[in-house]
Amino acid sequence: MSVKKDTIPPWGLAVAGATGAVIANAMVYPLDIVKTRLQVQEKRDPSYAAVAGTDVPHYTSTWDAISRIAEEDGFFGLYAGINGALIGVASTNFAYFYWYSVVRTLYISRVPTPPGTLAELGLGAAAGAVAQVFTIPVAVITTRQQTQSKGERKGMVDTARDVISSEDGWTGLWRGLKASLVLVVNPAITYGAYQRLREAIFPGKLNLKPMEAFLLGAMSKSIATIVTQPLIVAKVGLQSKPPPSRQGKPFKSFIEVMQFIIKNEGLLGLFKGIGPQVSKGLLVQGLLMMTKERMELMFVLLFRYLRQLRSEQLQNLADLAAVKANGIKPILTK
């Protein structure tokens, strides 16, 4: 059955997107922990332990990180900070899909032709920028929680207090905002690629099957992740604690993070953690779009049913008014 989705209000599309994102991220959350830790660690150097005053964990691969985190912090160590992460995922995706729907609808109402690739990227970037401004504090707190050791682990409120007291006051919760605004090109590329791939592979198809949506979501996210990985690494570096070799001195900009990484680890250091990053993105985006498509279909059917019910009620009221106007007593049936 094919149904049109243009009848879904922006909040409906936002709920569908946020629901899909939460389900997808909860299923692959350990990969999120691993990619964050791989992206903040420095190149192995014996002097780091002396600087930090303790043995700094260093992971050699995704599997090494998973096994060592589970061994040192227990099974739940792989889910450290998940509450904040899912709140952040829900709020970010709700805001993104809401504003994406709004700006896309405004664009289509003013421009008679469907948006091209550049227009799709621009619409996605605008929606992403608005979403980031309101939701980045949750991302900062989650990054800190994901990089805390078992002994340092704190809740969201206490972690937020640490960020506020140890850095730039309340503005510390918006660390990495510039990098995040630059990174709006990631979802813009993702959803721009998704629309283009959908039109190319499934032209004219209104409703995708679950595996078709999964395939398109995975392909589009992989493209976006590879293109923006250096910015992702720099953003994580900004939002986490400074590496031991900097002796507590925080980074001031994502450019400074990138320069530090290139100096100490070379250009390839900007792509560290790309394995779990791509794996996570592929699975999350695939599951997200698959779930989102199903949720949107449910909303379409729900709104269709509600409109039909309302139409029947209005018709009954009209019939009753006509009967009264003609002076005919309506027949009441049990």
Side-chain angles (χ1 to χ4, degrees), residues 98-120:
Y98 180 87
W99 288 110
Y100 181 74
S101 173
V102 169
V103 297
R104 198 171 192 274
T105 301
L106 286 173
Y107 179 91
I108 293 173
S109 67
R110 294 173 179 272
V111 180
T113 57
T117 302
L118 288 178
E120 288 282 7

Side-chain angles (χ1 to χ4, degrees), residues 175-198:
R175 285 186 66 82
L177 177 59
K178 291 180 181 178
S180 296
L181 292 178
V182 174
L183 271 171
V184 298
V185 299
N186 185 291
I189 293 171
T190 299
Y191 296 109
Y194 184 88
Q195 293 293 341
R196 298 281 79 82
L197 288 171
R198 179 173 183 164

Side-chain angles (χ1 to χ4, degrees), residues 52 64 92 188 207 277 295 313:
D64 179 53
T92 301
N207 304 115
Q277 181 82 48
M295 287 288 294
Q313 290 175 339

Side-chain angles (χ1 to χ4, degrees), residues 20 48 53 55 58 62 86 104 112 116 163 182 247 265:
Y48 291 169
D55 184 23
H58 191 277
T62 301
L86 294 185
R104 198 171 192 274
V163 173
V182 174
Q247 300 180 332
E265 303 177 44

Side-chain angles (χ1 to χ4, degrees), residues 3-9 13 194 198 205-208 289 292-297 300:
V3 294
K4 291 184 178 180
K5 299 179 183 177
D6 55 3
T7 56
I8 306 177
L13 295 170
Y194 184 88
R198 179 173 183 164
K205 193 167 187 178
L206 293 176
N207 304 115
L208 300 179
M289 298 311 295
K292 178 175 176 289
E293 289 283 337
R294 296 299 94 186
M295 287 288 294
E296 287 179 351
L297 180 58
V300 168

Side-chain angles (χ1 to χ4, degrees), residues 18 31 59 62 74 90 95 104 118 122 125 148 154 201 219 235 238 240 249 273 277 302 327 332:
L31 282 175
Y59 310 110
T62 301
R104 198 171 192 274
L118 288 178
Q148 290 170 346
K154 298 178 182 178
I201 301 175
M219 290 171 62
K235 176 189 171 184
L238 266 177
S240 64
K249 182 182 177 182
Q277 181 82 48
L302 174 62
L332 299 178

Side-chain angles (χ1 to χ4, degrees), residues 80 99 103 134 185 209 213 228 328:
W99 288 110
V103 297
F134 290 101
V185 299
K209 296 178 181 177
T228 60
I328 303 173

